[in-house]
Amino acid sequence: MSGHVFGPVFSRRLGLSLGVNNIPYKVCTYSCIYCQLGRTLRLSIERRPYSDPDALAEEVVKVLEEVSRVDYVTLVPDGEPTLDTRVGELIDVIKDVSGERVAVLTNGSLLWVEEVRKALANADLVSVKVDADHEALWRRVDRPHKALSFSKVVEGLVEFSRAYSGVLITETMLVDRVNDSVEDAEAVADMLTRLSPAVSYVAVPTRPPAEGWAKAPPAERVRAFMDVLEERGLRVVPLVRGEERPPKCGADLVKCVLETIRVHPLPMEHIELMARGRGLDINDVLEVVLGSPGVYVVEYEGRKFLVWRPAG
Ligand code: SF4
């Protein structure tokens, strides 16, 4: 069985979020060019019982005993959460035993499957991905499993949005000269208006991506893209560089850094800030962290990040 609980971390979309990972590292239906976890190791659409809901809920309760409050307990795994056939049960049991709201960050690629739509129905918030408006661009940006079809995925998103009574939000990741034109914005706006999301987040890669050439578009292109969405009546919020906050680490900084980079790369300036706040020398912290298997320093867009990649 896979799974662990991490954080809480500050999420730009959700506030203080306690993360639950219910999928093995990089098992996903997509292999997005911008994925901050690196390339997908197992591209799959086969759903399996990956998690143990009772064990994960118990872990959630244990962490919540030490943390005064969180905004959400969030399924934000190292892959696609709906590949877990126990995802619905996991949501229900976490809600039951913790009394907290549960959010799910999914790419939405399996919502055409009725059991997946049912499984997410009790989540308080669901975030789905809308990066492209047509099959060729979707294949280029999200690099889906070959058995998936764009029309089917869109059908699933629309069907889910019609029946879902929680908060539905969308995320669109813009990559420079790939999906960031005004024409792309017009077509994405068409799709988004069909989903009526509470908020449409427009993001750019801010951490080292799977493909080093996947860069953030210039600010004026992002603005122009958002303008198109706003003109169509969508509530748009940007997720851009400079808004990330360091994780909310406890006394054991090394442990917290190692846990965080399992989920996403961490900018060096955040580690420096946290070390300084604890009266520690960053070099001592880095010596221990970089001695752990799979930890590297990567430079992206003029910033240094600590990343973790599995061996092999
Ligand atoms: S960004 Fe999400 S959907 Fe895309 S490959 Fe990474 S884990 Fe999968």
Side-chain angles (χ1 to χ4, degrees), residues 134-148:
H134 62 271
E135 179 109 23
L137 187 58
W138 173 65
R139 293 210 175 273
R140 195 169 158 215
V141 179
D142 294 344
R143 300 191 297 197
H145 188 280
K146 62 178 183 330
L148 289 171

Side-chain angles (χ1 to χ4, degrees), residues 257-301:
V257 167
L258 288 172
E259 277 175 9
T260 306
I261 61 175
R262 281 290 310 252
V263 188
H264 61 68
L266 202 51
M268 209 56 97
E269 69 262 22
H270 285 181
I271 301 168
E272 209 162 343
L273 204 69
M274 292 189 290
R276 215 180 311 132
R278 288 166 176 75
L280 300 171
D281 184 333
I282 182 163
N283 294 316
D284 295 340
V285 175
L286 287 181
E287 196 181 323
V288 184
V289 172
L290 285 167
S292 306
V295 181
Y296 305 91
V297 177
V298 169
E299 233 178 284
Y300 178 66
E301 303 268 85

